Amino acid sequence: MRSVMAVTFTPHGLLSYVDPGPFEVKVGDHVLVPTEAGPEVAQCVWAPEDVDGMDDSTLPVCVGLASAEDLARDAVNRKRRAEVRVVANRLIRRHRLPMKVVGVDWLDQAGPTNHEAVIYFTAPGRVDFRVLVSDLARSLNARVDLRQVGSRDAARLIGGVGHCGRDLCCASFKTEIEAVTLRMARDQHLSPNPLAISGACGKLMCCVKYEHPLYVEFTENAPAIGSTVLTEDGPAKVIGHSVPSDSVVLRMANSGEVTPCLRADACAARAAYEANNPTRRPTRRRNKGVGDKT
């Protein structure tokens, strides 16, 4: 068991998980978190809590509570990042380069006069920005590092709101971007329309992967579409699946009525039906979507 807290470097930004160490931290406190460029100021948004299964994890350890001097330096760096973005956009327009700035980092750990600006940008292809780098370095009086990122990383840096009305997963809590395939969308009977299943980055939504194991497990254990089950009102045919409600849709053989039925009830009824009708046991086949011809 290990104590863990969640911090964010920007308001409503990506969560980072940190070991609080010996310090007593409350929600809203500003702490110093070790980074590649040195300790940086972050705000605690989730109080320290003991978590199982994280004894062997390599979490950064909190350096301590941020002092007034640390907060003042952080405010100066935030202002400096905004100035770098303005200068970069102005020079990009002047050079007429097909680039879009999506994020800026200002590193002041190298010394009082040896700063570095890291500028993240998107572009449709390779960009020759050698002249831009020299102009930026001269205007900012600092070393400049231009880094081209993909659409998923750009969405994480910019942030936004997804189809569900919540902050983008990649910009709020996801620390790793996992592969999402079109097969996962098909297994969940989602629309093949790219506009309906694509996120802000233009790629398949990450949440398609979240529920995919549930659909796989449901398909393996639920009666197949087209099979027959026995209910209290007589035999019925399975015509659809409803994974969120853990139920199947039945069409009664006697009345033709369409009604939902819990998967547990349908599975037990199907087993009883097959036991009573061994010669009429339906052949299990690949599932189709609700409403497909059987």
Side-chain angles (χ1 to χ4, degrees), residues 85-97:
R85 182 184 290 267
V86 171
V87 173
N89 286 328
R90 184 179 70 247
L91 292 177
I92 287 173
R93 289 193 299 267
R94 178 184 301 175
H95 291 283
R96 298 182 179 180
L97 296 174

Side-chain angles (χ1 to χ4, degrees), residues 11-260:
H12 310 291
L14 183 67
L15 296 182
S16 300
Y17 298 98
V18 181
D19 187 334
F23 305 99
E24 295 184 2
V25 184
K26 304 184 297 296
V27 173
D29 289 347
H30 289 84
V31 297
L32 292 176
V33 177
T35 66
E36 295 180 357
E40 293 290 342
V41 177
Q43 186 175 23
C44 176
V45 297
W46 176 25
E49 185 174 320
D50 291 335
V51 179
D52 292 329
M54 298 194 69
D55 296 334
D56 299 330
S57 61
T58 55
L59 290 177
V61 181
C62 176
V63 177
L65 297 176
S67 63
E69 182 180 355
D70 295 324
L71 295 177
R73 182 180 66 85
D74 184 63
V76 171
N77 288 343
R78 291 177 186 274
K79 181 179 179 181
R80 192 59 174 157
R81 285 197 292 268
E83 295 173 352
V84 171
R85 182 184 290 267
V86 171
V87 173
N89 286 328
R90 184 179 70 247
L91 292 177
I92 287 173
R93 289 193 299 267
R94 178 184 301 175
H95 291 283
R96 298 182 179 180
L97 296 174
M99 301 168 55
K100 179 181 179 182
V101 177
V102 295
V104 174
D105 279 339
W106 179 257
L107 310 179
D108 64 347
Q109 299 296 328
T113 59
N114 190 15
H115 305 308
E116 181 179 3
V118 182
I119 302 174
Y120 303 92
F121 71 94
T122 58
R126 295 177 60 89
V127 179
D128 185 1
F129 48 72
R130 288 174 294 182
V131 178
L132 176 63
V133 169
S134 61
D135 288 350
L136 283 170
R138 186 165 48 254
S139 299
L140 300 173
N141 192 24
R143 290 184 295 138
V144 176
D145 183 9
L146 286 174
R147 300 180 185 178
Q148 185 171 358
V149 298
S151 56
R152 286 191 182 274
D153 290 321
R156 170 183 288 187
L157 291 170
I158 298 174
V161 177
H163 296 299
C164 59
R166 300 174 63 89
D167 292 338
L168 296 179
C169 299
C170 60
S172 55
F173 68 90
K174 283 183 66 67
T175 56
E176 296 182 1
I177 298 179
E178 304 176 62
V180 184
T181 64
L182 191 58
R183 175 64 181 272
M184 297 178 183
R186 294 196 188 102
D187 291 344
Q188 299 176 46
H189 310 299
L190 297 176
S191 170
N193 182 3
L195 296 178
I197 58 177
S198 297
C201 60
K203 307 293 185 180
L204 292 178
M205 294 185 295
C206 294
C207 54
V208 172
K209 188 177 180 65
Y210 300 162
E211 298 180 359
H212 184 251
L214 178 64
Y215 278 79
V216 172
E217 186 274 334
F218 184 95
T219 303
E220 292 176 350
N221 296 281
I225 295 177
S227 61
T228 303
V229 298
L230 185 63
T231 68
E232 296 179 355
D233 299 326
K237 187 176 183 179
V238 179
I239 62 172
H241 290 161
S242 178
V243 179
S245 60
D246 196 26
S247 62
V248 296
V249 182
L250 304 178
R251 177 181 286 119
M252 306 306 299
N254 298 330
S255 62
E257 179 185 0
V258 176
T259 180

